[in-house]
Amino acid sequence: MVSRFHNQLLLSFCFRILNSFLLFTFFQPDEYYQAWEPAYIEMFHRGYKTWEWHAGLRTSLLPRFFTLIIRIAEILNINYLVLGKIVMAFVAALADVYTGKVAETVTNSREIGIYTWLISLGSMFNWYCSTRTFSNTLEMALTIVAFYVWAPTKTDYKRISWMRLAFAQLLAHISIALRPSAGIFWLHIGIYSIFMFKGWKERVNYSLFSFLVALICQTSIVLLDLDYYSPDFKVPYLEFFRFNVLYKVSSLYGENEVYWYITQGVTFLLMGYIPYFILGWRKTPGLIKQIIVVNLSLMSLISHKEQRFLFFLLPFMHISTAIGFEGSRRSVWAKLKPLAVLVNVVVALYLSIFHMGGVSNVVETIRKDNSIKEVAFLMPCHATPWHSHFQRQDAEFNPLFLSCEPPWKQYIALNNPSFEDEDLLSNSLDSYKTETELFYEDPSVYLSQHPELITDTIVVYEPLQELMESHGYAIRDSFFNGLFTDDERKSGHILIMSKD
């Protein structure tokens, strides 16, 4: 007999397969440069490694995972990007189902569990991101599955399944390796779990077991990372702490107000569900409230913020939303439920099919057109996927783009006790500008200084059309890229232009 879990998983998987193959747009560069690109380099020895990989900030687990997908795809003789979509659809489906299972457990209500599962399926942000190859996506799925398996709501010490707990903690440690900020979540859950028990002997035994699992898991992860970065000695946890906490390099990518996650983070993640999340908050179980408030508060203290950094909290927000949906059956809000779902559907389809869809069209065009050999992307850095998505093995193919790496080597030098001229280096850091910044200050001057960018084919956003026409280029292809943008440099269509 097929269980409800398997029925839900099958339905979720079919839905996420559809979701995955209807995703035609670009969201953030990390989707490619932290997953597929390093894996492609590992397999085919060409591609672009961002500075984080040279500095050793990232764990090797993510590229190892996608390298495995490429190897399996070669055995099956299918395109690895297709297999990747299927794998990520399954990951997203697991997250959907386990979100419902957690809701059912913490509320002791099968109805709330089913509501939460359906709300997860109808989530705009899940549709937009849950099948993308972000570390945040895997972090979110690992978090909700591990939380369910960990079962921190069960307080009977004698009924603890130590193997089950060890497996949950393994998933937790993988999520921390992928996203070190996940340590905030699991530290909270770990402390909560210890103090569930009344006796100190039980607390000590539980703590010692968790410490042993942590030691084994984290040692294994560090050894894998040391092997990946060999012969350099790189421990991503240490490098992440050094660059993002001590050197504050992440602030170079933008700083946000402390309340940004409330005004623009949670609201974007929930979209049409916002009223029901608020309605359900009062009856939300205390542990779920704690998880949301504690993590949201601590994450808000980090200066560099992005909506996807809160992705791991979205399943827990959906539990509150489901409680709000279920509890509003006799109010005016009941009549507005279809509108909430409609808002999510409209926004999700626009973001997944149209918004920044021109990026995918450009990459696909260049991938298929072997006549394009040298092409320069004169646009903000990492505005498109790279070799892993071009999938061109011809040696003559030589794409170029404007970089935007921070001066990470200078930060290391500045913080080296043996470095003497700190004032000189500090001034150079203050005046440092990336290739992208220098180009957009005066594109014409920059091109005259860098003739290597005057290739047979270029890719630009529409604002640079007139300038490039003055350099003898004509439009070869033009692609719609959305109705709006938060960066005027990316406004209008994306153009592929060639020399007359």
Side-chain angles (χ1 to χ4, degrees), residues 268-290:
F268 185 68
L269 264 66
L270 289 172
M271 196 56 65
Y273 289 155
I274 293 171
Y276 301 93
F277 171 74
I278 296 171
L279 286 171
W281 182 256
R282 186 173 63 86
K283 294 184 178 180
T284 298
L287 177 57
I288 303 303
K289 284 182 178 179
Q290 274 188 43

PDB file of all heavy atoms in Angstrom, residues 268-290:
ATOM      1  N   PHE A 268       9.257  39.650   0.359  1.00  0.00           N
ATOM      2  CA  PHE A 268       9.488  39.065  -0.965  1.00  0.00           C
ATOM      3  C   PHE A 268       9.348  37.550  -0.928  1.00  0.00           C
ATOM      4  O   PHE A 268       8.790  36.939  -1.847  1.00  0.00           O
ATOM      5  CB  PHE A 268      10.879  39.447  -1.472  1.00  0.00           C
ATOM      6  CG  PHE A 268      11.156  38.987  -2.878  1.00  0.00           C
ATOM      7  CD1 PHE A 268      10.482  39.548  -3.956  1.00  0.00           C
ATOM      8  CD2 PHE A 268      12.092  37.986  -3.127  1.00  0.00           C
ATOM      9  CE1 PHE A 268      10.734  39.124  -5.262  1.00  0.00           C
ATOM     10  CE2 PHE A 268      12.350  37.557  -4.421  1.00  0.00           C
ATOM     11  CZ  PHE A 268      11.676  38.130  -5.492  1.00  0.00           C
ATOM     12  N   LEU A 269       9.826  36.925   0.134  1.00  0.00           N
ATOM     13  CA  LEU A 269       9.726  35.469   0.236  1.00  0.00           C
ATOM     14  C   LEU A 269       8.277  35.005   0.329  1.00  0.00           C
ATOM     15  O   LEU A 269       7.899  34.003  -0.284  1.00  0.00           O
ATOM     16  CB  LEU A 269      10.501  34.965   1.459  1.00  0.00           C
ATOM     17  CG  LEU A 269      11.930  34.484   1.213  1.00  0.00           C
ATOM     18  CD1 LEU A 269      12.831  35.621   0.769  1.00  0.00           C
ATOM     19  CD2 LEU A 269      12.507  33.835   2.470  1.00  0.00           C
ATOM     20  N   LEU A 270       7.452  35.735   1.073  1.00  0.00           N
ATOM     21  CA  LEU A 270       6.069  35.305   1.294  1.00  0.00           C
ATOM     22  C   LEU A 270       5.109  35.831   0.222  1.00  0.00           C
ATOM     23  O   LEU A 270       4.097  35.188  -0.075  1.00  0.00           O
ATOM     24  CB  LEU A 270       5.600  35.761   2.672  1.00  0.00           C
ATOM     25  CG  LEU A 270       6.228  35.016   3.856  1.00  0.00           C
ATOM     26  CD1 LEU A 270       5.829  35.677   5.174  1.00  0.00           C
ATOM     27  CD2 LEU A 270       5.823  33.552   3.866  1.00  0.00           C
ATOM     28  N   MET A 271       5.366  37.012  -0.287  1.00  0.00           N
ATOM     29  CA  MET A 271       4.561  37.635  -1.343  1.00  0.00           C
ATOM     30  C   MET A 271       3.073  37.592  -0.997  1.00  0.00           C
ATOM     31  O   MET A 271       2.627  38.220  -0.050  1.00  0.00           O
ATOM     32  CB  MET A 271       4.854  36.974  -2.687  1.00  0.00           C
ATOM     33  CG  MET A 271       4.383  37.756  -3.901  1.00  0.00           C
ATOM     34  SD  MET A 271       5.023  39.458  -4.043  1.00  0.00           S
ATOM     35  CE  MET A 271       6.772  39.210  -4.280  1.00  0.00           C
ATOM     36  N   GLY A 272       2.237  36.870  -1.714  1.00  0.00           N
ATOM     37  CA  GLY A 272       0.797  36.870  -1.485  1.00  0.00           C
ATOM     38  C   GLY A 272       0.372  36.267  -0.160  1.00  0.00           C
ATOM     39  O   GLY A 272      -0.762  36.461   0.293  1.00  0.00           O
ATOM     40  N   TYR A 273       1.288  35.537   0.473  1.00  0.00           N
ATOM     41  CA  TYR A 273       0.965  34.879   1.747  1.00  0.00           C
ATOM     42  C   TYR A 273       1.097  35.795   2.963  1.00  0.00           C
ATOM     43  O   TYR A 273       0.756  35.384   4.082  1.00  0.00           O
ATOM     44  CB  TYR A 273       1.904  33.690   1.960  1.00  0.00           C
ATOM     45  CG  TYR A 273       1.672  32.498   1.053  1.00  0.00           C
ATOM     46  CD1 TYR A 273       2.715  31.610   0.783  1.00  0.00           C
ATOM     47  CD2 TYR A 273       0.428  32.241   0.494  1.00  0.00           C
ATOM     48  CE1 TYR A 273       2.535  30.502  -0.022  1.00  0.00           C
ATOM     49  CE2 TYR A 273       0.228  31.141  -0.319  1.00  0.00           C
ATOM     50  CZ  TYR A 273       1.282  30.269  -0.574  1.00  0.00           C
ATOM     51  OH  TYR A 273       1.092  29.167  -1.378  1.00  0.00           O
ATOM     52  N   ILE A 274       1.592  37.003   2.792  1.00  0.00           N
ATOM     53  CA  ILE A 274       1.919  37.865   3.928  1.00  0.00           C
ATOM     54  C   ILE A 274       0.745  38.022   4.915  1.00  0.00           C
ATOM     55  O   ILE A 274       0.940  37.846   6.130  1.00  0.00           O
ATOM     56  CB  ILE A 274       2.390  39.256   3.446  1.00  0.00           C
ATOM     57  CG1 ILE A 274       3.732  39.125   2.723  1.00  0.00           C
ATOM     58  CG2 ILE A 274       2.542  40.222   4.618  1.00  0.00           C
ATOM     59  CD1 ILE A 274       4.183  40.391   2.022  1.00  0.00           C
ATOM     60  N   PRO A 275      -0.498  38.341   4.470  1.00  0.00           N
ATOM     61  CA  PRO A 275      -1.596  38.519   5.444  1.00  0.00           C
ATOM     62  C   PRO A 275      -1.854  37.262   6.271  1.00  0.00           C
ATOM     63  O   PRO A 275      -2.156  37.354   7.464  1.00  0.00           O
ATOM     64  CB  PRO A 275      -2.806  38.866   4.567  1.00  0.00           C
ATOM     65  CG  PRO A 275      -2.225  39.350   3.277  1.00  0.00           C
ATOM     66  CD  PRO A 275      -0.956  38.598   3.088  1.00  0.00           C
ATOM     67  N   TYR A 276      -1.720  36.092   5.644  1.00  0.00           N
ATOM     68  CA  TYR A 276      -2.021  34.840   6.330  1.00  0.00           C
ATOM     69  C   TYR A 276      -0.892  34.438   7.279  1.00  0.00           C
ATOM     70  O   TYR A 276      -1.136  33.803   8.307  1.00  0.00           O
ATOM     71  CB  TYR A 276      -2.321  33.742   5.304  1.00  0.00           C
ATOM     72  CG  TYR A 276      -3.497  34.140   4.450  1.00  0.00           C
ATOM     73  CD1 TYR A 276      -3.310  34.790   3.233  1.00  0.00           C
ATOM     74  CD2 TYR A 276      -4.806  33.941   4.895  1.00  0.00           C
ATOM     75  CE1 TYR A 276      -4.385  35.209   2.471  1.00  0.00           C
ATOM     76  CE2 TYR A 276      -5.891  34.352   4.147  1.00  0.00           C
ATOM     77  CZ  TYR A 276      -5.687  34.985   2.929  1.00  0.00           C
ATOM     78  OH  TYR A 276      -6.761  35.417   2.192  1.00  0.00           O
ATOM     79  N   PHE A 277       0.328  34.820   6.938  1.00  0.00           N
ATOM     80  CA  PHE A 277       1.450  34.627   7.861  1.00  0.00           C
ATOM     81  C   PHE A 277       1.209  35.437   9.144  1.00  0.00           C
ATOM     82  O   PHE A 277       1.408  34.935  10.251  1.00  0.00           O
ATOM     83  CB  PHE A 277       2.753  35.062   7.191  1.00  0.00           C
ATOM     84  CG  PHE A 277       3.942  35.106   8.113  1.00  0.00           C
ATOM     85  CD1 PHE A 277       4.548  33.935   8.554  1.00  0.00           C
ATOM     86  CD2 PHE A 277       4.444  36.325   8.557  1.00  0.00           C
ATOM     87  CE1 PHE A 277       5.643  33.980   9.413  1.00  0.00           C
ATOM     88  CE2 PHE A 277       5.536  36.375   9.409  1.00  0.00           C
ATOM     89  CZ  PHE A 277       6.142  35.199   9.839  1.00  0.00           C
ATOM     90  N   ILE A 278       0.747  36.673   8.986  1.00  0.00           N
ATOM     91  CA  ILE A 278       0.469  37.532  10.142  1.00  0.00           C
ATOM     92  C   ILE A 278      -0.712  36.980  10.940  1.00  0.00           C
ATOM     93  O   ILE A 278      -0.678  36.921  12.180  1.00  0.00           O
ATOM     94  CB  ILE A 278       0.190  38.982   9.679  1.00  0.00           C
ATOM     95  CG1 ILE A 278       1.445  39.573   9.021  1.00  0.00           C
ATOM     96  CG2 ILE A 278      -0.263  39.848  10.848  1.00  0.00           C
ATOM     97  CD1 ILE A 278       1.221  40.898   8.337  1.00  0.00           C
ATOM     98  N   LEU A 279      -1.768  36.545  10.224  1.00  0.00           N
ATOM     99  CA  LEU A 279      -2.945  35.994  10.896  1.00  0.00           C
ATOM    100  C   LEU A 279      -2.609  34.742  11.694  1.00  0.00           C
ATOM    101  O   LEU A 279      -3.180  34.496  12.762  1.00  0.00           O
ATOM    102  CB  LEU A 279      -4.025  35.657   9.861  1.00  0.00           C
ATOM    103  CG  LEU A 279      -4.779  36.834   9.230  1.00  0.00           C
ATOM    104  CD1 LEU A 279      -5.639  36.350   8.075  1.00  0.00           C
ATOM    105  CD2 LEU A 279      -5.648  37.534  10.285  1.00  0.00           C
ATOM    106  N   GLY A 280      -1.686  33.936  11.178  1.00  0.00           N
ATOM    107  CA  GLY A 280      -1.363  32.672  11.837  1.00  0.00           C
ATOM    108  C   GLY A 280      -0.319  32.779  12.922  1.00  0.00           C
ATOM    109  O   GLY A 280      -0.085  31.813  13.658  1.00  0.00           O
ATOM    110  N   TRP A 281       0.302  33.944  13.046  1.00  0.00           N
ATOM    111  CA  TRP A 281       1.428  34.071  13.976  1.00  0.00           C
ATOM    112  C   TRP A 281       1.032  33.790  15.431  1.00  0.00           C
ATOM    113  O   TRP A 281       1.758  33.109  16.158  1.00  0.00           O
ATOM    114  CB  TRP A 281       2.038  35.467  13.866  1.00  0.00           C
ATOM    115  CG  TRP A 281       3.232  35.657  14.746  1.00  0.00           C
ATOM    116  CD1 TRP A 281       3.300  36.333  15.925  1.00  0.00           C
ATOM    117  CD2 TRP A 281       4.546  35.132  14.518  1.00  0.00           C
ATOM    118  NE1 TRP A 281       4.569  36.272  16.451  1.00  0.00           N
ATOM    119  CE2 TRP A 281       5.351  35.543  15.600  1.00  0.00           C
ATOM    120  CE3 TRP A 281       5.119  34.357  13.517  1.00  0.00           C
ATOM    121  CZ2 TRP A 281       6.702  35.205  15.702  1.00  0.00           C
ATOM    122  CZ3 TRP A 281       6.456  34.013  13.609  1.00  0.00           C
ATOM    123  CH2 TRP A 281       7.234  34.434  14.688  1.00  0.00           C
ATOM    124  N   ARG A 282      -0.115  34.278  15.858  1.00  0.00           N
ATOM    125  CA  ARG A 282      -0.506  34.143  17.271  1.00  0.00           C
ATOM    126  C   ARG A 282      -0.635  32.678  17.678  1.00  0.00           C
ATOM    127  O   ARG A 282      -0.277  32.311  18.809  1.00  0.00           O
ATOM    128  CB  ARG A 282      -1.836  34.880  17.520  1.00  0.00           C
ATOM    129  CG  ARG A 282      -2.260  34.918  18.983  1.00  0.00           C
ATOM    130  CD  ARG A 282      -3.471  35.802  19.191  1.00  0.00           C
ATOM    131  NE  ARG A 282      -4.639  35.300  18.467  1.00  0.00           N
ATOM    132  CZ  ARG A 282      -5.474  34.378  18.955  1.00  0.00           C
ATOM    133  NH1 ARG A 282      -5.270  33.853  20.158  1.00  0.00           N
ATOM    134  NH2 ARG A 282      -6.514  33.975  18.248  1.00  0.00           N
ATOM    135  N   LYS A 283      -1.128  31.838  16.781  1.00  0.00           N
ATOM    136  CA  LYS A 283      -1.329  30.419  17.117  1.00  0.00           C
ATOM    137  C   LYS A 283      -0.170  29.529  16.671  1.00  0.00           C
ATOM    138  O   LYS A 283      -0.243  28.306  16.793  1.00  0.00           O
ATOM    139  CB  LYS A 283      -2.629  29.919  16.474  1.00  0.00           C
ATOM    140  CG  LYS A 283      -3.876  30.570  17.042  1.00  0.00           C
ATOM    141  CD  LYS A 283      -5.132  29.968  16.441  1.00  0.00           C
ATOM    142  CE  LYS A 283      -6.386  30.593  17.042  1.00  0.00           C
ATOM    143  NZ  LYS A 283      -7.626  30.006  16.465  1.00  0.00           N
ATOM    144  N   THR A 284       0.889  30.142  16.182  1.00  0.00           N
ATOM    145  CA  THR A 284       2.054  29.365  15.763  1.00  0.00           C
ATOM    146  C   THR A 284       2.750  28.774  16.987  1.00  0.00           C
ATOM    147  O   THR A 284       2.942  29.477  17.986  1.00  0.00           O
ATOM    148  CB  THR A 284       3.049  30.266  14.992  1.00  0.00           C
ATOM    149  OG1 THR A 284       2.407  30.754  13.812  1.00  0.00           O
ATOM    150  CG2 THR A 284       4.296  29.501  14.592  1.00  0.00           C
ATOM    151  N   PRO A 285       3.155  27.483  16.935  1.00  0.00           N
ATOM    152  CA  PRO A 285       3.851  26.872  18.077  1.00  0.00           C
ATOM    153  C   PRO A 285       5.086  27.667  18.480  1.00  0.00           C
ATOM    154  O   PRO A 285       5.769  28.258  17.627  1.00  0.00           O
ATOM    155  CB  PRO A 285       4.233  25.484  17.544  1.00  0.00           C
ATOM    156  CG  PRO A 285       3.201  25.198  16.497  1.00  0.00           C
ATOM    157  CD  PRO A 285       2.905  26.522  15.855  1.00  0.00           C
ATOM    158  N   GLY A 286       5.365  27.655  19.777  1.00  0.00           N
ATOM    159  CA  GLY A 286       6.443  28.479  20.326  1.00  0.00           C
ATOM    160  C   GLY A 286       7.798  28.218  19.704  1.00  0.00           C
ATOM    161  O   GLY A 286       8.563  29.161  19.449  1.00  0.00           O
ATOM    162  N   LEU A 287       8.141  26.949  19.442  1.00  0.00           N
ATOM    163  CA  LEU A 287       9.443  26.633  18.863  1.00  0.00           C
ATOM    164  C   LEU A 287       9.590  27.242  17.475  1.00  0.00           C
ATOM    165  O   LEU A 287      10.655  27.761  17.127  1.00  0.00           O
ATOM    166  CB  LEU A 287       9.650  25.114  18.805  1.00  0.00           C
ATOM    167  CG  LEU A 287      10.952  24.648  18.146  1.00  0.00           C
ATOM    168  CD1 LEU A 287      12.161  25.252  18.840  1.00  0.00           C
ATOM    169  CD2 LEU A 287      11.033  23.120  18.141  1.00  0.00           C
ATOM    170  N   ILE A 288       8.521  27.187  16.675  1.00  0.00           N
ATOM    171  CA  ILE A 288       8.577  27.754  15.325  1.00  0.00           C
ATOM    172  C   ILE A 288       8.739  29.269  15.408  1.00  0.00           C
ATOM    173  O   ILE A 288       9.511  29.867  14.644  1.00  0.00           O
ATOM    174  CB  ILE A 288       7.311  27.378  14.519  1.00  0.00           C
ATOM    175  CG1 ILE A 288       7.138  25.856  14.467  1.00  0.00           C
ATOM    176  CG2 ILE A 288       7.378  27.964  13.107  1.00  0.00           C
ATOM    177  CD1 ILE A 288       8.320  25.113  13.874  1.00  0.00           C
ATOM    178  N   LYS A 289       8.034  29.895  16.342  1.00  0.00           N
ATOM    179  CA  LYS A 289       8.210  31.339  16.548  1.00  0.00           C
ATOM    180  C   LYS A 289       9.654  31.655  16.931  1.00  0.00           C
ATOM    181  O   LYS A 289      10.248  32.608  16.418  1.00  0.00           O
ATOM    182  CB  LYS A 289       7.273  31.836  17.658  1.00  0.00           C
ATOM    183  CG  LYS A 289       5.819  31.990  17.265  1.00  0.00           C
ATOM    184  CD  LYS A 289       5.041  32.540  18.456  1.00  0.00           C
ATOM    185  CE  LYS A 289       3.584  32.769  18.114  1.00  0.00           C
ATOM    186  NZ  LYS A 289       2.814  33.285  19.270  1.00  0.00           N
ATOM    187  N   GLN A 290      10.186  30.860  17.851  1.00  0.00           N
ATOM    188  CA  GLN A 290      11.577  31.062  18.274  1.00  0.00           C
ATOM    189  C   GLN A 290      12.532  30.991  17.081  1.00  0.00           C
ATOM    190  O   GLN A 290      13.416  31.834  16.925  1.00  0.00           O
ATOM    191  CB  GLN A 290      11.982  29.985  19.290  1.00  0.00           C
ATOM    192  CG  GLN A 290      11.642  30.277  20.716  1.00  0.00           C
ATOM    193  CD  GLN A 290      12.276  29.243  21.636  1.00  0.00           C
ATOM    194  OE1 GLN A 290      13.423  28.870  21.466  1.00  0.00           O
ATOM    195  NE2 GLN A 290      11.510  28.782  22.613  1.00  0.00           N
TER     196      GLN A 290
END
